[in-house]
Amino acid sequence: MIGRLSGTLAEKNPPQIVLDVHGVGYEVDVPMSTFYNLPGTGEKVTLLTHFAVREDGHFLYGFLSEAERFAFRQLLKISGIGARTALSVLSGMSVDDLAAAVARQEVGRLTKIPGIGKKTAERLLLELKGKLAEANGIGPAAAADDAHQDILNALLALGYNEKEAAAAMKQLPAGVGTSDGIRQSLKLLSKV
């Protein structure tokens, strides 16, 4: 089992990199969240890895954080989820966002990831419930923030993207109710 690699980043071809470890070039598939945080080619890097042996070959998957590797391994345990789908999920959202989506049972956030349909998203939410929250320190408080989530869902349904909605919601006072939050967010977004 290869659990970690340290070496020089030789090539970057998303989603794959080549890591030179003392003259041996390891091809490692990484999620885009890891890819964007890698140093430039020729720089030193350490990756936590997951080594998979299948009929058609041996594959290495690399991650910059233990939380990403843990989430990847939890995703692989789900029936019908392979390494490509697991990488796609981690490329589409951070581990914290995934844990929050699972805690709040947000099918819509997962279906925005390419390759994830409604049934797969529902299966992910069911299978991951309680597993990622503990690993990432997200407890019941995140799940209890229903008003915040309702406001976000309303803004997304009205056609705003997540970035616009999040920017407006940051300006809302703490503890705002759902209807007041939606109204205030729309006022903020109309000024932009």
Side-chain angles (χ1 to χ4, degrees), residues 1-165:
M1 177 71 84
I2 299 171
R4 183 179 64 148
L5 288 173
S6 292
T8 305
L9 189 57
E11 293 178 30
K12 291 170 78 172
N13 302 310
Q16 191 174 77
I17 63 167
V18 175
L19 192 62
D20 185 325
V21 180
H22 301 292
V24 178
Y26 290 92
E27 291 179 349
V28 184
D29 287 339
V30 298
M32 296 311 289
S33 54
T34 292
F35 188 85
Y36 293 135
N37 291 310
L38 288 172
T41 54
E43 301 285 323
K44 297 281 185 195
V45 68
T46 298
L47 293 175
L48 299 171
T49 59
H50 176 83
F51 182 61
V53 177
R54 297 192 324 231
E55 288 179 18
D56 56 340
H58 298 250
F59 301 91
L60 267 174
Y61 303 97
F63 311 91
L64 284 174
S65 71
E66 180 57 42
E68 279 185 320
R69 181 169 70 174
F70 177 80
F72 180 79
R73 288 177 171 171
Q74 292 301 312
L75 288 163
L76 289 181
K77 291 178 183 178
I78 299 170
S79 175
I81 302 296
R84 289 282 164 219
T85 304
L87 283 179
S88 181
V89 169
L90 293 175
S91 293
M93 59 179 26
S94 71
V95 176
D96 289 339
D97 288 344
L98 177 60
V102 169
R104 294 183 182 123
Q105 294 294 292
E106 299 174 317
V107 173
R109 292 204 51 201
L110 292 177
T111 57
K112 291 180 181 175
I113 298 169
I116 303 292
K118 186 176 181 191
K119 287 187 178 189
T120 303
E122 289 170 347
R123 189 170 59 243
L124 287 174
L125 293 177
L126 179 67
E127 296 282 338
L128 293 175
K129 192 171 187 176
K131 294 179 182 173
L132 295 179
E134 296 156 10
N136 294 296
I138 296 174
D145 192 8
D146 290 335
H148 182 80
Q149 190 55 44
D150 289 342
I151 296 166
L152 177 63
N153 288 339
L155 294 175
L156 293 175
L158 290 169
Y160 293 101
N161 64 37
E162 282 195 45
K163 188 176 181 181
E164 292 169 328

